[in-house]
Amino acid sequence: MSVRPDVRGMRAANTTGMARLRPWQPWAALAGFAFLLHFVWEMLQVPFYAGMVDAIHGSAVRMCTIATVGDAVITLLAYGVVAVATRSRSWLGDLTVKRLAGLVALGIGMSLVAELLNIHVFQRWQYVAGVPLLAGMGLNVWLQWLLLPPLTLWLARRHLGLASSRSPKGPEHRAPDQEIA
């Protein structure tokens, strides 16, 4: 027999957790984790961009840092748009699949615009030959925006104490008839 947690109770607890936070804390957590994760990703995808592998180290780091700041801003803008759409600036405490999908879709959309502008209009960078493209954007960027936003939200929720667990008190406090599903 598996015991399913009361989702409504968890959402209420998470929303209550948001109430004890200062208004800037979710934004700061999102910005910090988005910056850290995207910076690592930007550095790892250096081989996908022409001239980056041979660039002077400081120049490559500077370019990746600038791109990372853009990624963090996109994350915050997407969070803000979802907050306006859901009329809940504290939706991080009440995360749903629909809200996560909205954030990811907005991140992909804004990245697509930024990527295409930087490649075709401003000519700031280009992909090396052989990088798979989807709608004119490298598959590496698609993966970035499919993988990193959920991880960013998860880390921010954990950091802020909003992550729920299957057994709020831990396994040592589980009733004898409860099983872990």
Side-chain angles (χ1 to χ4, degrees):
M1 168 207 294
S2 72
V3 175
R4 302 198 79 189
D6 181 9
V7 175
R8 290 176 305 226
M10 281 187 203
R11 286 191 177 152
N14 288 339
T15 305
T16 303
M18 285 295 287
R20 66 177 166 71
L21 297 174
R22 293 190 172 115
W24 56 267
Q25 285 178 301
W27 297 90
L30 286 170
F33 287 116
F35 185 87
L36 290 171
L37 292 170
H38 284 278
F39 183 75
V40 170
W41 189 277
E42 293 292 342
M43 294 301 290
L44 290 173
Q45 68 179 355
V46 160
F48 297 113
Y49 292 92
M52 287 293 287
V53 171
D54 299 325
I56 297 169
H57 179 73
S59 176
V61 170
R62 183 176 60 77
M63 287 184 70
C64 287
T65 302
I66 291 168
T68 301
V69 169
D71 294 333
V73 168
I74 288 171
T75 301
L76 293 175
L77 285 172
Y79 182 82
V81 169
V82 173
V84 169
T86 61
R87 295 187 176 129
S88 172
R89 62 187 161 125
S90 60
W91 68 266
L92 185 62
D94 189 18
L95 184 60
T96 64
V97 172
K98 187 175 179 180
R99 291 171 179 175
L100 174 61
L103 181 100
V104 169
L106 287 164
I108 288 172
M110 287 186 259
S111 291
L112 180 61
V113 169
E115 196 80 2
L116 294 177
L117 284 173
N118 281 301
I119 291 171
H120 300 293
V121 177
F122 305 122
Q123 298 179 349
R124 290 190 178 128
W125 61 74
Q126 63 184 21
Y127 297 113
V128 297
V131 170
L133 301 177
L134 181 60
M137 186 165 70
L139 191 56
N140 53 310
V141 183
W142 285 92
L143 289 173
Q144 176 180 4
W145 285 96
L146 289 171
L147 299 174
L148 296 188
L151 185 55
T152 300
L153 293 177
W154 181 76
L155 287 169
R157 287 171 52 85
R158 283 188 53 94
H159 173 73
L160 296 169
L162 302 173
S164 58
S165 64
R166 295 185 71 90
S167 177
K169 295 182 182 178
E172 64 278 1
H173 294 88
R174 194 173 290 119
D177 63 337
Q178 286 183 318
E179 293 179 23
I180 300 175

